Amino acid sequence: MVSIEGMTEFWDRLLGAQPDPPPLLVVLTGLVALLVVVTRLPWRIARNAITIAHEGGHALVAVLTGRKLQGIRLHSDTSGLTLSAGRPTGPGMVLTLLAGYLAPPLVGLGGAWLLAGNRITLLLWIAVVLLLAMLVMIRNLYGALTLVIVGGAVLAVSWYASPQVQAAFAWTGVWFLLLGGVRPVVELQRLRARRGMPASDADQLAGITPLPAFFWVVLFGLVNLAVLAAGGLMLAGPLLAEAGLT
């Protein structure tokens, strides 16, 4: 049986604020995340995290707009698929399609907000809860294994790692979501320019709205760049404080 003291300690650990990170950690984690995004092999592996956020965005908005979520699949080529039932047109479908490419940096922005308050452990546990919720809707083995591995790694860091390791892990992950949300939009337009992608989110949006697919690609890019800027300012708080700018 869990004692009151044990529960109190758990909640204090979960909700308590950690010390401010050294400014050098903020810089180094940002550089590591940027290196992963622009380097071919690391990006090929780490892109799975972007896909998780992308498909999770589709799924969450589908549920929030009243659509019936049928399942999520994550594939080894880092693509994914979220199936929902409901009207094939209308605001719910538009918002569901919009959510995919916007979700990774928006999740990163939420993480940056928590890190700005030094709520590192809380951020990691929220990530675990979201991954577990997504796992329930996964409909293929690769997707399930991916979520178990990622969720297990986050849980292990949150529970066993030192505060310094937790901080480095959290800042790198949030920087990666913010920066990594931009590259898939560029890749999308390149693929569309070469051979077309009638099944892409942008092309599906073009099919159910009066606006062309290129408009939606540009919208994805502009929103994600704006979110990157906002999240970057939040993460740069320790740097700005040391420079006397806050």
Side-chain angles (χ1 to χ4, degrees):
M1 187 173 180
V2 179
S3 66
I4 295 177
E5 291 79 6
M7 287 298 298
T8 301
E9 181 181 353
F10 169 78
W11 286 111
D12 287 344
R13 180 176 180 181
L14 180 63
L15 301 176
Q18 284 72 41
D20 288 334
L24 182 60
L25 180 142
V26 177
V27 175
L28 291 179
T29 54
L31 290 174
V32 168
L34 180 61
L35 184 63
V36 171
V37 170
V38 301
T39 307
R40 184 174 181 180
L41 182 58
W43 170 250
R44 173 66 179 77
I45 298 170
R47 198 184 194 280
N48 284 285
I50 300 296
T51 303
I52 291 171
H54 180 114
E55 300 304 328
H58 282 316
L60 177 61
V61 174
V63 172
L64 292 177
T65 56
R67 299 180 63 81
K68 183 179 180 181
L69 184 60
Q70 297 177 318
I72 304 169
R73 300 177 70 89
L74 304 175
H75 303 135
S76 59
D77 63 355
T78 71
S79 66
L81 177 66
T82 298
L83 295 175
S84 63
R87 289 183 56 194
T89 60
M93 190 64 193
V94 170
L95 292 173
T96 298
L97 289 169
L98 268 175
Y101 280 97
L102 302 183
L106 287 174
V107 172
L109 183 64
W113 179 74
L114 287 171
L115 290 181
N118 291 334
R119 297 301 196 275
I120 300 172
T121 304
L122 179 60
L123 167 64
L124 297 176
W125 274 71
I126 289 175
V128 171
V129 170
L130 292 175
L131 290 168
L132 286 174
M134 190 171 175
L135 181 61
V136 175
M137 298 306 301
I138 289 291
R139 296 294 181 263
N140 67 322
L141 180 60
Y142 179 82
L145 288 174
T146 300
L147 288 181
V148 168
I149 291 171
V150 174
V154 176
L155 180 61
V157 169
S158 70
W159 197 254
Y160 296 109
S162 66
Q164 294 79 12
V165 172
Q166 287 189 22
F169 183 86
W171 252 268
T172 302
V174 170
W175 273 122
F176 176 72
L177 287 171
L178 291 168
L179 293 164
V182 177
R183 178 165 175 171
V185 180
V186 177
E187 294 174 341
L188 169 63
Q189 184 54 30
R190 284 178 179 171
L191 289 172
R192 291 188 65 259
R194 290 175 192 167
R195 52 185 172 83
M197 291 183 66
S200 75
D201 294 348
D203 287 275
Q204 290 185 69
L205 283 163
I208 62 174
T209 68
L211 300 169
F214 184 67
F215 168 86
W216 296 108
V217 175
V218 172
L219 180 64
F220 293 155
L222 290 177
V223 171
N224 288 1
L225 286 172
V227 173
L228 168 60
L233 284 174
M234 290 182 185
L235 293 177
L239 290 173
L240 298 177
E242 186 171 86
L245 300 178
T246 59

